[in-house]
Amino acid sequence: MMYNRILSMLIALITCQVLFAQHKELAGFSKGFTPNEVGKRLAYHFVDNKHEFYDRYIHYAEVCTWNGALDYAVRAKDNKLIKLLVDKFEPLFSYEKELLPPMNHVDYNMFGSLAFKLYEITKDERYKKIGLAYADSQWELPQNAKRIEKSWADKGFSWQTRLWIDDMYMITVVQGEAYKVTGDRKYIDRAAKEMVLYLDELQRGNGLFYHAPDVPYYWGRGDGWMAVGMPNLLRMLPTDHKDRPRIMEGYLKMMQSLKQYQRPNGMWNQLIDESDFWVETSGSAMFTYGFIIGVQEGWLKASEYAPAAKKAWLAMIRYIDSRNNVTEVCIGTGKKNDKQHYHDRPRNAGDFHGQAPYLWCSAALLEE
């Protein structure tokens, strides 16, 4: 018994030392490049921004940015910022209620993740009620469901399944947050089942993902949703979950490939494997996040991936302009089997698709 106890203590000590070493390799940034400075710039800028709409509802990219700002605020222990972000939501309970997305699309339902995150911070039951409505309706087949939606539901998947690569953030983020709040295993099982489906359908031999089965292009931000969705889900999955090995396999395969495609300047291109395409910031930030979490969790070899993550982070910051807008962000992009379509996509400064993953990285780098 004494031997086993001593052995357990030694293993725990070694693990702590390894994790400390890994975290140390992701620190030491010079002034202007620290995650605290960057996160503060972007998060307070978000507070001052107006809502962004998808049709006439709160845009999923705004939800992602809001989530990132909250994560940063909590890690930075910035209570003023937390209050501002909570206050920003309050009108959605009353005179802005019509801006709440309907519960009929994968991009709309992910709004529930924000409600859950606010519940975790405030313990206000109003947020939990909203979050559960979005999480549960993602698996409740509507009466007017289409044939394909019924087919997915009959197989135990969300009726909102469509095999677009970005779904693997949109679905898993709300189901994962529901699991964190309730402890109900059904939510994490749903998320894992969906993730395995998308891995099997969209990941190619090189570790990257098509935008959709009929669109054979490795679009940066499309793949970025997987680079964020997989490690976030792995962090929540119980160690004995049956789908964990498959998801970990897909994650590690992708990270290895991304490391090979990282440009000399530290960034990644709009189409990852096309060297003559332009550098795109939102996807680059998402890949950086995937590296950071992998190093912190000990899934990726720190000596290889920490320098790559640090190089990417330093490169990313140079794309933030004087107004605290991330530049070179590809606008929202539906699937299209046309290479030129991805090349010609407009680029916006301050687009929430880019602001969000920069905040995710800032928050992740502040983890203790």
Side-chain angles (χ1 to χ4, degrees):
M1 286 291 292
M2 180 61 71
Y3 171 79
N4 290 338
R5 186 177 301 173
I6 293 173
L7 181 60
S8 297
M9 291 174 63
L10 285 172
I11 291 173
L13 178 61
I14 292 170
T15 300
C16 288
Q17 290 174 335
V18 170
L19 289 175
F20 174 76
Q22 291 169 348
H23 284 233
K24 188 177 180 180
E25 290 198 46
L26 290 172
F29 297 102
S30 59
K31 185 177 180 181
F33 292 87
T34 68
N36 196 42
E37 291 173 284
V38 174
K40 186 173 184 177
R41 289 174 61 188
L42 299 184
Y44 276 95
H45 182 43
F46 170 73
V47 170
D48 294 333
N49 260 302
K50 295 180 180 179
H51 288 311
E52 182 176 320
F53 300 112
Y54 191 176
D55 293 330
R56 60 182 181 276
Y57 307 109
I58 299 290
H59 199 294
Y60 68 82
E62 178 178 345
V63 176
C64 292
T65 309
W66 211 326
N67 283 340
L70 282 166
D71 286 342
Y72 163 76
V74 170
R75 299 265 166 73
K77 299 180 176 60
D78 189 333
N79 292 325
K80 176 186 174 182
L81 178 58
I82 291 173
K83 185 178 186 306
L84 289 170
L85 292 166
V86 171
D87 289 346
K88 189 179 178 76
F89 193 99
E90 190 62 29
L92 293 171
F93 287 117
S94 54
Y95 63 87
E96 287 187 351
K97 195 171 184 178
E98 70 277 4
L99 303 181
L100 293 176
M103 302 175 194
N104 61 5
H105 190 280
V106 61
D107 290 342
Y108 288 152
N109 277 67
M110 66 85 60
F111 181 86
S113 64
L114 173 59
F116 282 129
K117 202 170 286 284
L118 286 165
Y119 171 76
E120 291 181 72
I121 294 170
T122 67
K123 302 307 178 186
D124 186 331
E125 290 290 331
R126 295 180 300 168
Y127 296 116
K128 184 178 180 181
K129 182 179 179 180
I130 291 176
L132 286 173
Y134 280 101
D136 291 337
S137 61
Q138 200 161 52
W139 254 258
E140 293 169 356
L141 189 69
Q143 290 185 346
N144 63 343
K146 300 174 183 176
R147 180 181 298 177
I148 185 64
E149 293 168 343
K150 291 179 181 178
S151 175
W152 285 122
D154 288 344
K155 297 173 186 175
F157 298 104
S158 169
W159 63 274
Q160 296 178 358
T161 300
R162 58 179 180 166
L163 294 181
W164 288 32
I165 193 59
D166 40 328
D167 299 351
M168 275 306 90
Y169 179 81
M170 308 302 169
I171 293 177
T172 56
V173 69
V174 64
Q175 298 301 320
E177 290 295 332
Y179 171 68
K180 285 167 62 177
V181 165
T182 66
D184 191 331
R185 183 85 175 225
K186 74 179 179 184
Y187 294 111
I188 200 70
D189 287 345
R190 289 172 177 176
K193 183 179 178 72
E194 286 280 335
M195 182 65 81
V196 170
L197 170 68
Y198 278 65
L199 279 166
D200 290 344
E201 293 292 331
L202 296 178
Q203 191 171 35
R204 316 321 295 169
N206 65 357
L208 302 180
F209 295 81
Y210 284 165
H211 193 169
D214 56 344
V215 182
Y217 298 109
Y218 306 119
W219 174 43
R221 187 165 66 245
D223 274 47
W225 294 116
M226 266 291 194
V228 174
M230 284 191 289
N232 281 355
L233 181 57
L234 285 167
R235 278 183 147 185
M236 289 183 275
L237 273 176
T239 56
D240 62 346
H241 197 282
K242 66 180 182 62
D243 292 325
R244 186 180 179 84
R246 176 68 183 95
I247 297 169
M248 180 64 79
E249 176 192 2
Y251 165 74
L252 294 175
K253 191 175 182 180
M254 185 188 201
M255 295 300 105
Q256 183 179 23
S257 183
L258 287 174
K259 189 170 177 293
Q260 295 171 357
Y261 282 110
Q262 188 176 22
R263 309 306 301 165
N265 65 1
M267 303 288 280
W268 285 265
N269 289 353
Q270 163 76 341
L271 288 188
I272 300 168
D273 61 333
E274 297 290 342
S275 60
D276 59 338
F277 270 58
W278 44 278
V279 165
E280 202 281 324
T281 50
S282 67
S284 294
M286 289 171 165
F287 302 150
T288 305
Y289 179 87
F291 283 3
I292 292 169
I293 300 303
V295 170
Q296 290 177 336
E297 293 292 334
W299 303 330
L300 299 177
K301 193 173 181 180
S303 60
E304 293 182 17
Y305 286 90
K310 197 167 186 177
K311 182 179 183 180
W313 171 257
L314 293 172
M316 285 164 47
I317 307 313
R318 295 184 173 92
Y319 287 88
I320 303 175
D321 67 19
S322 59
R323 299 170 300 163
N324 297 321
N325 286 327
V326 176
T327 62
E328 295 298 300
V329 183
C330 176
I331 68 168
T333 297
K335 68 170 187 171
K336 190 171 184 180
N337 193 355
D338 178 8
K339 183 177 176 180
Q340 195 65 30
H341 168 72
Y342 292 91
H343 184 278
D344 296 343
R345 297 303 283 164
R347 304 167 228 181
N348 283 344
D351 190 308
F352 285 147
H353 287 97
Q355 305 290 114
Y358 271 59
L359 281 163
W360 298 339
C361 288
S362 297
L365 287 169
L366 287 175
E367 287 194 30
E368 298 177 353

